[in-house]
Amino acid sequence: MTQDQLNFVFIGITFALYIVIAIRSRASSTKEYYTAGGGVSPLANGLATAADWMSAATFISMAGTVAISGYDGARFLMGWTGGFVLLTVLMVPYLRKFGKATVPDFIGDRYYSKLARAVAVVCAIFICMTYIMGQMRGVGVVFSQLFGISISAGVIVGAAIVFFYAGLGGMKGITYTQVAQYCVMSFAYTIPAVFIAMALTGNVIPQVGLIGNYTAGGAEAVPFLEKLNNINTELGFKEYTSGKLSTLNMFCITAALMCGTAGLPHVIVRFFTVKDVKSVRKSACWTLLFIAVIYLTAPTIGAFSRVNLIEKLHNTPYTEAPSWLQEFESTGQMAWVDKNGDGKIQYFGPGKSEAGSNSVFQGKKPNYPEITAPDQQKVGIHGERLLANKADDSNPNELWFGTDIMVMANPSMAGLPMWVIALLMAGCIAAALSTAAGLLLVLSTSISHDLMKNIIKPDLSDKEEVMYARIASFASLAVAAFFGINPPSAFIAKTVAFAFGLAASSFFPTLLMGIFSKRVNKPGAIAGMISGISFTLGYILYFQFWGGTPDQYLFGITPEGIGCLGMLLNFIVTFIVSAVTPAPPQSVQDMVESIHIPSGAGDASH
């Protein structure tokens, strides 16, 4: 059986499983569509929440970012894991006791305003649309490599699958589908790491191998991280264990990711699928355990893939390069430009370049000759796929590859068995589909429940509300697919980081103050959300689309981290406006007080 055939077998089995679950768990009411009926067990919800959390950015892109940038990639690990702790300690127990199924629901009632609810709906749409763009891009990358098609076609195929089982089953179908997807993801992520750790370090536990010795090929044992640092510096890169981001920028990005995590509506809503607050806390513990399995493995995969890439390709004649290089060339995810005409692949960093970069060609991504072009314009003398881009001769680097391809290429680079590669493919697809489905549900409920039912047309029946939710799912997915084909950033994790910045600058301060402050009122919350998300979104748009340059960054903070300042702006504006306007009604203040009291507690005796 060939690798492609084995891939299709694994993917086919997992798809069949997801579709059967979606059909058997089809939602028949709004309660099942929005919260799976509220009867999911803590263990099942922990698995489903972990799957919802393990997006394409985590599974595909995060380890790739660690592989390329080393220490700097830790911003994603620290931000996302720390943020989940904030979410489970400061947010979900109180929101669950409040009893509303969506974030705009809480904001609308806590701030006694339809306008506040409408602003929250707009914020939720911006956040989830930005996030789902990255997921659809991840789906496209995986399907592109799997079927040998373009990323654009892969995005369209993935979008159709997500719409089928998310739109059909709602939260009920998604929950049990995500349980299966987490099982697929965890095995797909950890098994290759174990194989590669044994090959490179002789350790069966990848994390021990990372801090152990490099022993591959019978070489003299040397600390693995020292080996990695030496390889990097020899090729003109910075040491792997040192970073190039400024301390302030690193802090702001990490803080934006953490606080954005605590404000993500698609994760918050997962904790409404269990029956009570006690189950929420149990579910959160299970979720953290399941998340740790993958997050503690990601740094090892990044480091191992970095070594394998350099060892297998640098200074290797193209005609002797492993076959997987041409496979990734054919799908546009790797490229080689023979700048010096020696027929060998050279991979160098900025330190070897007078221009201080390691760009291979002019432009941000490979462009290829038209399909009707003659063969001599499409295939080089060594058999490589030629580019339409002009070579960048200001530096000697000849190898280009997408950050998002590192995890998928890792088993091939390490020469692992075919079934391990097939399992990884299934895991990559599960990661992208699971989060895309959760985000799609939040988008559809924000439009059908929070906008249509609670603002525009209060007399909607249950059946009509579910119908609007499915229409909203289709429209949202169409927009997400467009931006998955034309992403706002070069790699998935960065696109997703923008969504976290938007969540940090809008929902996190508003939810936190709504839970713990009785004085914060309607005008303050509305002004804070609008100012925070407007500042953050404007900064991202300016530097990603409107020609902003790095020398113009505010305090040197990149668009990934600007959500931290947007969050501070939200806090400041909210407190100032609330201080100079009337306090909330006494009934609202009593409601805030009540959500701090454990269920079943009697009246205070003193």
Side-chain angles (χ1 to χ4, degrees):
M1 185 177 289
T2 67
Q3 181 66 66
D4 285 344
Q5 291 171 334
L6 200 58
N7 289 347
F8 293 142
V9 169
F10 274 66
I11 300 296
I13 291 172
T14 56
F15 272 12
L17 179 63
Y18 305 154
I19 291 169
V20 168
I21 291 172
I23 292 172
R24 291 179 63 87
S25 306
R26 181 174 181 174
S28 58
S29 68
T30 53
K31 187 175 182 182
E32 289 186 342
Y33 194 90
Y34 296 149
T35 62
V40 179
S41 71
L43 175 59
N45 193 58
L47 286 162
T49 307
D52 212 349
W53 185 239
M54 297 303 169
S55 63
T58 297
F59 198 94
I60 299 174
S61 192
M62 184 173 65
T65 303
V66 173
I68 303 305
S69 56
Y71 172 80
D72 285 342
R75 64 191 187 272
F76 295 106
L77 291 164
M78 295 187 293
W80 286 335
T81 49
F84 200 86
V85 176
L86 286 181
L87 176 71
T88 54
V89 173
L90 296 179
M91 295 288 185
V92 290
Y94 303 100
L95 294 176
R96 181 64 179 83
K97 189 169 187 296
F98 184 77
K100 294 297 181 179
T102 68
V103 171
D105 245 357
F106 172 80
I107 290 174
D109 285 5
R110 164 59 182 85
Y111 295 107
Y112 49 98
S113 168
K114 284 190 175 183
L115 179 58
R117 185 190 298 272
V119 172
V121 169
V122 172
C123 290
I125 291 172
F126 271 115
I127 292 164
C128 293
M129 283 305 304
T130 306
Y131 202 157
I132 203 172
M133 290 174 199
Q135 307 318 307
M136 296 315 301
R137 185 69 177 178
V139 171
V141 169
V142 177
F143 277 112
S144 168
Q145 192 56 44
L146 182 63
F147 298 117
I149 58 180
S150 68
I151 292 179
S152 302
V155 168
I156 294 170
V157 172
I161 294 169
V162 171
F163 177 73
F164 176 78
Y165 78 81
L168 180 69
M171 180 59 81
K172 186 178 179 183
I174 287 173
T175 295
Y176 295 106
T177 301
Q178 287 175 334
V179 170
Q181 287 169 331
Y182 177 81
C183 296
V184 173
M185 280 189 278
S186 58
F187 285 114
Y189 212 68
T190 55
I191 289 176
V194 169
F195 273 93
I196 299 170
M198 292 175 63
L200 295 183
T201 69
N203 288 289
V204 71
I205 301 174
Q207 294 81 0
V208 175
L210 184 65
I211 59 175
N213 291 328
Y214 177 82
T215 58
E220 182 180 349
V222 59
F224 183 83
L225 290 175
E226 181 183 326
K227 165 78 172 178
L228 198 47
N229 280 337
N230 291 340
I231 290 176
N232 266 20
T233 53
E234 286 171 8
L235 296 180
F237 296 94
K238 286 184 176 292
E239 284 191 341
Y240 190 80
T241 54
S242 66
K244 64 179 182 179
L245 292 177
S246 69
T247 302
L248 176 62
N249 194 26
M250 186 75 166
F251 173 83
C252 286
I253 294 173
T254 305
L257 293 172
M258 286 180 65
C259 297
T261 296
L264 281 180
H266 79 287
V267 177
I268 290 173
V269 75
R270 282 240 52 93
F271 293 96
F272 289 88
T273 63
V274 294
K275 64 181 181 180
D276 52 31
V277 176
K278 182 179 178 181
S279 298
V280 166
R281 297 186 186 279
K282 287 182 179 179
S283 178
C285 291
W286 281 117
T287 303
L288 286 169
L289 175 64
F290 295 134
I291 285 174
V293 171
I294 292 181
Y295 267 68
L296 293 176
T297 307
T300 68
I301 291 179
F304 295 157
S305 63
R306 178 77 174 169
V307 169
N308 277 328
L309 176 81
I310 294 171
E311 293 286 333
K312 296 294 171 66
L313 292 184
H314 180 61
N315 261 339
T316 299
Y318 182 87
T319 52
E320 298 175 14
S323 59
W324 49 261
L325 173 61
Q326 288 191 340
E327 292 173 8
F328 288 112
E329 271 189 313
S330 66
T331 55
Q333 298 177 69
M334 282 189 172
W336 173 60
V337 177
D338 191 12
K339 294 181 180 179
N340 56 14
D342 65 354
K344 293 183 178 181
I345 302 165
Q346 275 98 26
Y347 179 51
F348 291 113
K352 296 288 185 179
S353 164
E354 293 181 3
S357 73
N358 69 325
S359 58
V360 177
F361 43 73
Q362 297 176 20
K364 294 183 178 180
K365 62 181 182 180
N367 293 313
Y368 299 97
E370 296 291 335
I371 193 169
T372 55
D375 287 345
Q376 59 266 31
Q377 292 181 18
K378 294 189 290 185
V379 182
I381 59 173
H382 304 289
E384 75 274 20
R385 186 178 184 185
L386 295 178
L387 307 181
N389 310 63
K390 290 184 178 180
D392 185 344
D393 294 320
S394 64
N395 61 79
N397 182 38
E398 299 179 342
L399 180 66
W400 178 91
F401 54 91
T403 305
D404 299 327
I405 203 60
M406 292 298 287
V407 169
M408 294 177 62
N410 205 21
S412 298
M413 291 190 289
L416 298 189
M418 290 193 299
W419 67 267
V420 177
I421 298 173
L423 179 63
L424 180 69
M425 288 288 190
C428 289
I429 291 176
L433 294 182
S434 64
T435 303
L439 289 164
L440 191 64
L441 184 69
V442 170
L443 280 165
S444 64
T445 54
S446 293
I447 294 170
S448 64
H449 179 71
D450 298 306
L451 186 62
M452 296 298 298
K453 175 74 172 179
N454 288 310
I455 297 177
I456 297 175
K457 198 176 179 183
D459 59 345
L460 274 183
S461 67
D462 267 15
K463 186 176 181 181
E464 289 174 322
E465 195 174 335
V466 172
M467 180 191 70
Y468 275 111
R470 286 174 174 149
I471 293 171
S473 294
F474 179 79
S476 301
L477 203 54
V479 176
F482 173 80
F483 283 104
I485 295 169
N486 304 282
S489 174
F491 63 100
I492 296 165
K494 190 173 179 181
T495 302
V496 169
F498 297 154
F500 283 80
L502 295 174
S505 63
S506 58
F507 282 151
F508 178 72
T510 307
L511 292 173
L512 193 67
M513 290 183 286
I515 292 169
F516 294 104
S517 171
K518 293 189 288 186
R519 182 61 182 82
V520 173
N521 61 12
K522 170 177 63 177
I526 293 171
M529 280 192 292
I530 291 175
S531 59
I533 199 168
S534 298
F535 170 77
T536 305
L537 182 62
Y539 193 91
I540 291 171
L541 290 174
Y542 178 71
F543 286 104
Q544 286 298 120
F545 299 105
W546 298 340
T549 55
D551 60 291
Q552 298 174 316
Y553 286 158
L554 183 63
F555 307 125
I557 299 172
T558 60
E560 295 168 89
I562 201 60
C564 181
L565 295 190
M567 174 184 66
L568 295 178
L569 179 64
N570 187 334
F571 273 118
I572 293 169
V573 170
T574 301
F575 276 122
I576 291 174
V577 174
S578 295
V580 299
T581 50
Q586 188 60 45
S587 61
V588 172
Q589 296 187 47
D590 292 342
M591 178 184 70
V592 173
E593 186 72 31
S594 71
I595 66 174
H596 300 155
I597 301 171
S599 298
D603 293 335
S605 58
H606 298 289

